[in-house]
Amino acid sequence: MATLNFIYGTMKSGKTLTLLAEAHNFKSHNRNPYLLTAAGDTRSGIGVIRSRVGITASAQTFDASEDLYEKIRQSHLENQIDIVMVDEAQFLSRDQVFQLSDVADELGINVRCFGLRTDFRGELFEGSAALMALSDHMSENTGVCASGCVANMVLRMGTDGVPMIDGPQLLVGGEETYEAVSRKIWKERMRSAMNNPSRAVV
């Protein structure tokens, strides 16, 4: 029986590296992995998945309006897909997570989704919340906070180096925008930012 899996973690926890390594292993056995990434994430180019260590792979893209079940079904009819791997899964809509569960349940293709669990405010992304509700299996890739503790939260940094306390949930950015930290550090720095009367809100 095929399964839907959610692998989550902060930035720099190795999620994308894991995805690319698994995809490489499938290809080395003449298997066909179907890679998907968010259309809005163009940091490495359109339809490119890139790890911070420099490994890349081409991928199909998705936006919030697409029916991923139909997209994958059509591709599967043309060239049999052995596994679906989704990068930046926090950008999925709730409906798209249901569609990916249909890929597993109706097409019999394993689906592995890699993404963030929570945003800079400590709130679940829509896609991540749906994955946590529907996934057969979940696992966490852990990063390291500058404090030496496990990094399981993310701060969105302003240009002045102070954490942002408000703003749009979905905002593509790298290390210039986000910082992975432990929960303790996240709480301390968010509380400090909230008590700063000059803190800009975007």
Side-chain angles (χ1 to χ4, degrees):
M1 179 178 173
T3 58
L4 172 65
N5 303 279
F6 183 32
I7 300 89
Y8 62 88
T10 61
M11 297 175 66
K12 297 203 284 190
S13 64
K15 301 183 303 298
T16 300
L17 182 60
T18 300
L19 182 159
L20 292 171
E22 290 181 3
H24 173 77
N25 287 339
F26 270 84
K27 290 177 182 177
S28 71
H29 293 290
N30 296 315
R31 299 290 182 177
N32 180 29
Y34 184 87
L35 276 55
L36 270 169
T37 190
D41 187 356
T42 59
R43 288 172 294 172
S44 299
I46 298 172
V48 177
I49 297 175
R50 179 182 178 86
S51 166
R52 283 180 171 77
V53 300
I55 302 171
T56 63
S58 297
Q60 299 298 313
T61 62
F62 68 88
D63 59 41
S65 66
E66 287 189 273
D67 184 328
L68 295 185
Y69 176 80
E70 276 304 312
K71 185 182 183 81
I72 294 166
R73 187 182 73 84
Q74 288 296 329
S75 292
H76 186 53
L77 289 173
E78 297 168 7
N79 186 16
Q80 180 177 314
I81 294 170
D82 293 298
I83 191 168
V84 173
M85 297 180 173
V86 183
D87 193 37
E88 304 294 350
Q90 70 274 7
F91 286 92
L92 294 166
S93 69
R94 184 174 184 272
D95 286 345
Q96 287 173 327
V97 173
F98 271 83
Q99 292 157 13
L100 290 172
S101 73
D102 288 340
V103 169
D105 297 339
E106 298 180 20
L107 299 181
I109 302 172
N110 287 313
V111 180
R112 290 174 64 75
C113 297
F114 299 76
L116 301 173
R117 177 175 55 106
T118 57
D119 66 13
F120 68 104
R121 293 168 296 196
E123 298 176 1
L124 290 169
F125 289 95
E126 177 183 345
S128 303
L131 283 165
M132 294 186 80
L134 292 176
S135 291
D136 298 287
H137 306 288
M138 292 185 292
S139 60
E140 182 177 14
N141 276 26
T142 56
V144 178
C145 174
S147 67
C149 298
V150 169
N152 52 13
M153 304 295 289
V154 175
L155 293 167
R156 179 184 291 170
M157 308 305 296
T159 55
D160 57 2
V162 178
M164 305 305 300
I165 60 175
D166 204 356
Q169 185 179 51
L170 297 177
L171 179 67
V172 174
E175 294 175 33
E176 77 288 350
T177 308
Y178 294 98
E179 181 180 347
V181 295
S182 68
R183 184 183 62 243
K184 181 176 186 294
I185 298 298
W186 177 83
K187 289 191 296 185
E188 289 175 356
R189 294 179 67 182
M190 286 296 280
R191 285 170 180 160
S192 176
M194 288 176 188
N195 292 329
N196 184 346
S198 65
R199 180 74 225 123
V201 177
V202 296

